[in-house]
Amino acid sequence: MSLETQTAPTPVFETEQDILSRAKRSAGRHKRNVWLLRLAILVAWLGLWELAGRFWIDPFFYSMPSKIWERLVEWFSTGTDFGTIWYQILVTVEEAVIGFVLGAVAGVICGVILGRSAYLAEVLAPFIKAANAMPRIVLAALFVIWFGLGLSSKVATVFVLVFFAVFFNAFTGAREVDRNLIDNARILGATRWQVLQSIVLPSATSWILSSLHVAFGFALIGAVVGEYTGAKAGMGFLIANAQGTFDTAGVYAGMLVIMIVALFAEWLIGSAERKLLRWRPQMSADDGRRDI
């Protein structure tokens, strides 16, 4: 009787390169699936809207994606009744960027100063809260009266919106600095300016940069609100004119253009944030999904 010898299977060990390749393919599949799902949601939403506009709802009041697309093609090919669409976009972006820069710089400076001075923060707290509680629409109307229909009134509106969005984050970031780090730096002979420059500002950077994402959205809102209140050009002015002429497609088209500008600005701010925070440990995609 012959005996059959059985050999144990040889274990297969993955190399580091194999593990990295598998993780890269998994991340690629996940990203592709996310974008496919987003595209499916967008197509389904626009398709249902188009069908509803053709068969169930009045397109005069709710418009349709096809009519919005026609209005966009008209604006970008032949222009608007008040000049080229690029000029309208440039006016709004100019107002938003100037107000955003001024408001962000002022918000960071004031937030860090008050965040490091408990006494000054206690004195000014009721005034800051009262100023933040003022209705922005009323302020926009006042700025038009004070500064006219030009650039200044829109920049002032944007400044107010951006300042408070950045201020409170900078204030919190300056307050959350590890006290032991500051005490150790002072024991080693660091001056107030050195502590601020080397410890406080780097520690508050994450708070400040996270506020900028929201702040630029507020900047565009402020520019549009200011133009809507009273202006000679800009996307807000274009939307207000479309509303006045019952051009629903024009209102949606203006909103879509502003949304695309906001997404582009968000991408720029996100790219700058990733470069400035390279030192921070990166959270893996699996960790992010577990948190959600």
Side-chain angles (χ1 to χ4, degrees), residues 205-271:
T205 299
S206 298
W207 290 85
I208 294 170
L209 289 177
S210 65
S211 70
L212 296 182
H213 292 277
V214 179
F216 194 82
F218 284 163
L220 284 174
I221 292 172
V224 171
V225 167
E227 292 167 354
Y228 202 88
T229 305
K232 299 177 181 178
M235 293 306 303
F237 170 74
L238 207 61
I239 293 173
N241 180 75
Q243 181 198 20
T245 57
F246 298 97
D247 181 12
T248 312
V251 174
Y252 281 115
M255 292 168 57
L256 182 61
V257 170
I258 294 170
M259 181 183 66
I260 293 173
V261 172
L263 291 175
F264 179 70
E266 171 71 16
W267 176 79
L268 289 178
I269 295 173
S271 300

Side-chain angles (χ1 to χ4, degrees), residues 115-130:
R116 301 310 308 161
S117 176
Y119 179 75
L120 193 59
E122 185 178 358
V123 171
L124 297 179
F127 302 103
I128 294 173
K129 292 178 181 179

Side-chain angles (χ1 to χ4, degrees), residues 15-168:
T15 64
E16 183 180 354
Q17 186 66 29
D18 294 334
I19 296 173
L20 291 175
S21 298
R22 190 176 72 251
K24 188 175 181 180
R25 289 194 300 270
S26 177
R29 286 195 301 269
H30 173 74
K31 186 176 182 180
R32 183 179 64 251
N33 292 338
V34 168
W35 278 102
L36 288 175
L37 183 57
R38 289 173 178 172
L39 181 61
I41 293 173
L42 181 62
V43 170
W45 173 47
L46 293 178
L48 289 174
W49 186 4
E50 183 73 20
L51 290 174
R54 291 183 181 275
F55 299 106
W56 301 307
I57 61 177
D58 189 349
F60 179 81
F61 296 105
Y62 300 99
S63 192
M64 295 186 300
S66 58
K67 291 184 178 296
I68 298 170
W69 175 253
E70 291 174 2
R71 181 67 69 248
L72 287 171
V73 170
E74 177 187 346
W75 282 356
F76 282 94
S77 59
T78 62
T80 70
D81 294 335
F82 309 97
T84 64
I85 185 63
W86 296 110
Y87 173 71
Q88 311 300 330
I89 296 173
L90 180 62
V91 169
T92 300
V93 170
E94 180 184 14
E95 297 162 352
V97 169
I98 295 175
F100 173 76
V101 172
L102 296 177
V105 171
V108 170
I109 293 174
C110 295
V112 171
I113 290 175
L114 294 185
R116 301 310 308 161
S117 176
Y119 179 75
L120 193 59
E122 185 178 358
V123 171
L124 297 179
F127 302 103
I128 294 173
K129 292 178 181 179
N132 186 44
M134 289 183 182
R136 305 298 190 265
I137 299 296
V138 176
L139 287 177
L142 285 175
F143 291 149
V144 170
I145 296 174
W146 294 345
F147 304 121
L149 299 177
L151 178 69
S152 300
S153 60
K154 315 306 178 296
V155 170
T157 304
V158 173
F159 176 89
V160 171
L161 288 170
V162 171
F163 173 82
F164 287 105
V166 176
F167 168 81
F168 288 112

Side-chain angles (χ1 to χ4, degrees), residues 185-222:
R186 287 180 175 173
I187 290 173
L188 295 174
T191 63
R192 285 182 175 271
W193 171 249
Q194 288 173 331
V195 169
L196 180 67
Q197 184 180 16
S198 303
I199 298 176
V200 175
L201 287 178
S203 299
T205 299
S206 298
W207 290 85
I208 294 170
L209 289 177
S210 65
S211 70
L212 296 182
H213 292 277
V214 179
F216 194 82
F218 284 163
L220 284 174
I221 292 172

